[in-house]
Amino acid sequence: MKAYQLTAWQQPPEFRDVEVPEPGPGQVLVKVGGAGACHSDLHLMEWPEGTFAWDLPFTLGHENAGWVEVLGAGVKGVEVGEAVAVYGPWGCGRCRACRLSRENFCERAAELRALGGGLGLNGGLAEYLLVPAARLLVPLGDLDPVDAAPLSDAALTPYHAVKRNLHKLAPGTAVVVIGVGGLGHMAVQLLRALSGARVVAVDIDDRRLEHARELGAELVVNSRDGADAAERIRAFTGARRAAFVLDCVGAQPTLDLAVQIVGRNSQLTVVGVGGGVIQLGQLTLPFGCSVCTPLWGTRAELQEVIALAQNGRIHVDAHYFGIAEGPRVLQELREGKIMGRAVLVPDLD
Ligand code: NAD
Ligand code: ZN
Ligand code: ZN
């Protein structure tokens, strides 16, 4: 089968012919339905060698869903043909964090030399994906894997960020989502579904702000020219300012904006890997403001995200392409031309 692989750091990925893997004991072969193109794919291609201790080559694609194709010896509780989302952060499965389903915070991450499929190990930009353990598969029920793939990252990551802070989001508080792309368009919906907070969306692209408004944002602010974005948001929030800012960009201008709009005892969560830095110390932030840079979400949370999608409370606005179109899709993602999420679908090749 053809696989879209990263073969050298700071070089474009390449299509390579690889063997369809055979699942060993405990492993599961998944036929890929869809693999989302995440902005992290662009970051990781730009990283210099040594940023992470990952071996090359590996197949890209860390946001995957599909159908169980072959069960390795001893695998129980999953059926061949079943539709599944693939939980992305593949931990050791045995440390306390992993046993609590928090494989995104596996205590032995440094030993594993990979974060998961598409991030150091072979991912979903191929016809088949080898998943190392059945516990990493979450049943999709009636959801189509082609549509559901982005739930495993674009939705799970903001879900985790929001859920751990729900106690701060009382009705009447204001929350600000910065960057309404793949993650951000899910974040707006998740905040609407889970909290009574009023949602503000910030982006530099008016089309995405229109999208955010359709998804339930009450105020949308274009921060392209910088100057008055903070003022407009503060006029909306009043002196209390934002209870929660979720920065899905993480660049210097967005972090600078975030610091100006968070309130006392608030939460500033940065999921975007844009390279910006926040000065942290007394008097640099409002009193009681917590800052967090989470990674992805837990296995149990992926199940919860899937339940929200099954119940129609959230949906992915996706655009579908064949895997052969991968290079063009990544280029369009880089240029900011992809609205919502692009999903690469082997069956469209
Ligand atoms: P995306 O390209 O789909 O969306 C990015 C959005 O940010 C776009 O709407 C773009 O217009 C907007 N934007 C860009 N620069 C901006 C600026 N200066 N001010 C305001 N808006 C701006 O990207 P995505 O796939 O949603 O990923 C978002 C970020 O989250 C990336 O950095 C990605 O690496 C990161 N990420 C982190 C995790 C995690 O676990 N921490 C998981 C997935 C993705
Ligand atoms: Zn991602
Ligand atoms: Zn672990």
Side-chain angles (χ1 to χ4, degrees), residues 122-315:
N122 288 332
L125 289 184
E127 206 177 333
Y128 295 97
L129 166 64
L130 183 65
V131 178
R135 70 169 195 282
L136 302 168
L137 302 176
V138 182
L140 283 171
D142 291 340
L143 293 179
D144 183 342
V146 177
D147 304 327
L151 297 176
S152 67
D153 182 8
L156 176 58
T157 301
Y159 181 79
H160 175 76
V162 170
K163 191 182 170 190
R164 60 195 282 159
N165 294 299
L166 276 179
H167 61 287
K168 293 187 178 173
L169 305 185
T173 56
V175 302
V176 182
V177 175
I178 306 179
V180 196
L183 271 65
H185 92 285
M186 298 310 303
V188 170
Q189 296 178 64
L190 288 162
L191 285 159
R192 295 274 299 172
L194 299 173
S195 83
R198 306 171 73 191
V199 180
V200 179
V202 177
D203 206 293
I204 48 175
D205 177 345
D206 284 332
R207 287 173 317 148
R208 290 161 195 274
L209 291 172
E210 195 44 49
H211 191 202
R213 203 189 277 287
E214 287 161 15
L215 296 172
E218 228 176 289
L219 175 72
V220 298
V221 176
N222 191 321
S223 62
R224 191 172 29 235
D225 302 323
D228 71 341
E231 236 168 87
R232 288 187 57 201
I233 295 166
R234 285 195 217 144
F236 179 84
T237 60
R240 192 148 67 132
R241 301 200 180 171
F244 178 48
V245 176
L246 179 61
D247 188 345
C248 300
V249 181
Q252 200 56 53
T254 61
L255 292 178
D256 290 344
L257 173 65
V259 167
Q260 293 175 64
I261 56 179
V262 281
R264 286 188 171 192
N265 205 25
S266 64
Q267 179 65 40
L268 168 44
T269 297
V270 184
V271 290
V273 189
V277 174
I278 295 174
Q279 265 211 320
L280 180 59
Q282 277 292 0
L283 311 185
T284 66
L285 284 166
F287 294 118
C289 173
S290 299
V291 177
C292 186
T293 56
L295 171 71
W296 231 319
T298 72
R299 263 189 289 125
E301 286 169 343
L302 179 54
Q303 202 163 347
E304 293 165 14
V305 164
I306 289 168
L308 285 170
Q310 285 169 334
N311 296 335
R313 307 289 291 276
I314 57 170
H315 68 275

